[in-house]
Amino acid sequence: MKKVLVIEDERDLAELLAYNLEKEGYQVLITGNGLEGLETARRELPDLILLDLMLPGMMGTEVCSSLRHSDKTRAIPVLMLTARGDEIDRVVGFEMGADDYIVKPFSMRELMLRIRAIMRRSNQEGGNSERQISTGPVTIDCGSHRVTVDGTEVELTSTEFKLLLYLAEHNGRVMKRELLLQDVWGYNFVGDTRTVDTHVTRLRNKLGEAGDMIKTVRGFGYKLEE
């Protein structure tokens, strides 16, 4: 049974989330404090974390950053929940390592669709755990969920890793933003393509000079090319 950790200080919302997740067949853990949530994540190693931005004890962005700096928790997908809808908050969430972002009040159906997509991606990755892909100076190790550039490890979020892997698997082919949303994020509904642009920008920056391998095809999408 897949395990979901809900870190949310609004008790009514946390219980509503737990109810809907349990109906979908997930095991649910709840905590309303950022520091306690971080400790629970390290101890329980859930398959997914729903993380509020504004939390007592430790801000959601700090929790996310701490998860990404630990080998034990760095690959756990994080879906950030927040009442804020400003562009800057969305970008900060991604910078701290969030894989996805949904603004309150949100549709429970949409949230469950996103969660299913994340779980489906995780299952697909499990079957490719022995693969390594190299393109130019970049090496992607699916087993350890690590990326190196000229032998130096680059710290990526779960979604950044999946995005790079997908582009590498389709090396030289132009991938539409909508297709990336569908195949990397798993969205089978209309999503915000700015999410793709934000992740590509972050990925390029983290890859350094190798980031130039990710080319923008104006009005269409992106491709990876040596």
Side-chain angles (χ1 to χ4, degrees):
M1 181 182 291
K2 295 286 187 180
K3 189 186 301 182
V4 178
L5 171 60
V6 177
I7 310 177
E8 167 61 65
D9 64 332
E10 292 181 41
R11 191 69 195 179
D12 289 346
L13 176 57
E15 290 177 354
L16 179 62
L17 289 168
Y19 171 75
N20 282 273
L21 287 163
E22 287 168 354
K23 278 207 311 182
E24 293 283 327
Y26 301 115
Q27 179 185 350
V28 183
L29 306 169
I30 299 178
T31 177
N33 179 284
L35 189 56
E36 290 175 6
L38 180 58
E39 292 169 352
T40 302
R42 289 170 173 167
R43 183 179 66 251
E44 299 289 340
L45 299 178
D47 298 284
L48 171 70
I49 297 173
L50 300 184
L51 177 63
D52 190 24
L53 183 64
M54 305 297 289
L55 288 166
M58 179 184 281
M59 290 287 289
T61 49
E62 296 176 75
V63 173
C64 197
S65 180
S66 297
L67 291 168
R68 293 303 178 229
H69 284 88
S70 168
D71 286 342
K72 285 181 65 178
T73 58
R74 67 189 302 173
I76 299 174
V78 174
L79 199 163
M80 196 163 276
L81 312 173
T82 177
R84 299 183 179 185
D86 293 342
E87 177 81 6
I88 186 64
D89 295 314
R90 183 170 62 88
V91 171
V92 167
F94 288 147
E95 286 178 346
M96 293 299 104
D99 294 279
D100 206 350
Y101 183 102
I102 193 165
V103 178
K104 302 174 187 175
F106 48 79
S107 157
M108 196 61 66
R109 178 176 177 273
E110 178 181 349
L111 178 63
M112 293 301 145
L113 285 171
R114 293 194 186 199
I115 290 170
R116 281 188 219 128
I118 290 170
M119 295 299 190
R120 187 166 58 246
R121 291 201 309 263
S122 297
N123 289 337
Q124 290 168 348
E125 286 164 13
N128 297 320
S129 60
E130 301 302 318
R131 283 196 310 150
Q132 274 197 356
I133 296 178
S134 294
T135 178
V138 178
T139 298
I140 306 167
D141 189 318
C142 298
S144 63
H145 207 272
R146 293 177 185 272
V147 171
T148 57
V149 177
D150 287 326
T152 301
E153 186 176 345
V154 178
E155 199 169 285
L156 301 182
T157 68
S158 176
T159 298
E160 288 164 353
F161 178 88
K162 292 161 191 163
L163 176 59
L164 178 61
L165 177 61
Y166 187 82
L167 290 172
E169 288 173 331
H170 299 83
N171 200 345
R173 292 172 55 189
V174 181
M175 311 309 294
K176 293 179 66 174
R177 289 174 175 84
E178 292 79 7
L179 186 62
L180 289 169
L181 274 176
Q182 176 182 307
D183 290 350
V184 177
W185 278 261
Y187 294 174
N188 293 318
F189 51 92
V190 177
D192 185 353
T193 57
R194 291 178 302 171
T195 296
V196 177
D197 298 333
T198 301
H199 276 82
V200 167
T201 299
R202 294 291 303 164
L203 182 56
R204 281 175 174 153
N205 290 338
K206 290 185 177 182
L207 293 175
E209 291 184 4
D212 292 340
M213 293 168 52
I214 303 176
K215 311 292 187 184
T216 300
V217 181
R218 292 191 180 280
F220 199 81
Y222 299 97
K223 66 177 178 177
L224 185 69
E225 190 173 74
E226 292 182 42

